[in-house]
Amino acid sequence: MTATIIDGKAFAAKVRGQVADHVARLKGQGITPGLAVVLVGEDPASAVYVKNKGIQTKEAGMASFEHRLPAETSEADLLAVIDRLNADPAVHGILVQLPLPGHLNADLVINAIDPSKDVDGFHISNVGLLGTGQKSMVPCTPLGCLMMLRDHLGDLSGLNAVVVGRSNIVGKPMAQLLLGDSCTVTIAHSRTRDLAAVCRGADILVAAVGRPEMITADFIKPGATVIDVGINRIERDGKKKLVGDVDFTSAAKVAGAITPVPGGVGPMTIACLLANTVTACCRANGLSEPEGLTA
Ligand code: NDP
């Protein structure tokens, strides 16, 4: 079997197009969705993400506000910035770029964001709402995975899903979303016994581990849909390379469909951030939410 490649780049472009259409409609009613991104410190990878977020926010027609603060910013000063953004009616989404410098308490900072503007979906209120099946802001990466799965498979009800990884930002919300779509969900992690056998039971396998090419063909049920969230920078044959948590070459011979790295889940994350900002803006203005852009 040779797997169908799920083209995240093309799908993300489609989602961004839908977002831009909604933004145009909102602007017609005198409303411009706004996204504020707060970056503390000089982490080069974070700086690249923030720059890309700003570019794509503007391309979608939204207002982009960037707050770059020095690495030594105190917690009180950062909280004051968040308070101002919470109170600013032009800002519908707030994202604090993680990781934060070590002296700042990330949980405290994230929980200071107004939950209705928490477009990353990390605020404890949104985590609770998602966990209890209520309307929430959904973390962008798992939302992007869910959109791709629905697009590729249609109804997910009754399918066996295995999520490898139990982080708060990917693994756990991914499992909640799949449960919400009536999958039978298993969450695997570093203590899971016979991981390959657990994964072979999956119709949907989501890898969010952070270990380069760990999931090989023998982990995959023939015909399964494989979503590779991993982003790992490695060096091979003297060249720097980006690979996922799945060994793409061997996995693609067994899977029914698979996302590549790069060009799979990655582009969907920013597209879903824009989608969440539009959703937050619609909710703030008492308008109906964009269809197909939320969980
Ligand atoms: P974390 O490090 O927070 O979590 C990794 C999870 O994998 C943990 O639950 C850990 O288990 C589990 N794990 C580690 N080793 C093994 C193993 N040998 N067998 C089984 N499970 C294992 O990572 P994140 O969730 O933040 O990210 C995961 C990956 O996704 C990374 O490569 C990251 O770069 C990528 N990512 C990609 C995004 C995108 O936009 N595409 C966005 C966010 C992340 P335990 O809990 O037991 O330690």
Side-chain angles (χ1 to χ4, degrees), residues 49 140-142 145 164-171 187-192 195 207-211 214-215 219 228-233 243-245 264-270:
Y49 289 139
C140 304
T141 300
C145 296
V164 190
R166 55 174 163 179
S167 72
N168 290 336
I169 62 166
V170 189
I187 306 176
H189 46 77
S190 67
R191 305 293 176 90
T192 297
L195 182 65
V209 189
R211 302 212 179 268
M214 189 191 93
I215 308 278
F219 286 58
D228 189 356
V229 182
I231 299 178
N232 307 290
R233 287 169 178 83
V243 299
D245 292 339
V265 175
M268 285 301 290
T269 299
I270 298 187

Side-chain angles (χ1 to χ4, degrees), residues 71-129:
E72 60 278 8
T73 300
S74 71
E75 208 157 78
D77 285 349
L78 177 55
L79 293 174
V81 170
I82 291 172
D83 273 351
R84 279 203 298 280
L85 296 173
N86 283 342
D88 186 344
V91 173
H92 303 95
I94 303 170
L95 178 148
V96 176
Q97 184 66 45
L98 300 176
L100 288 171
H103 67 285
L104 299 169
N105 179 339
D107 286 339
L108 188 94
V109 170
I110 298 301
N111 289 327
I113 298 171
D114 177 341
S116 66
K117 296 188 178 188
D118 166 40
V119 280
D120 250 345
F122 296 159
H123 190 289
I124 192 70
S125 297
N126 283 315
V127 174
L129 289 167

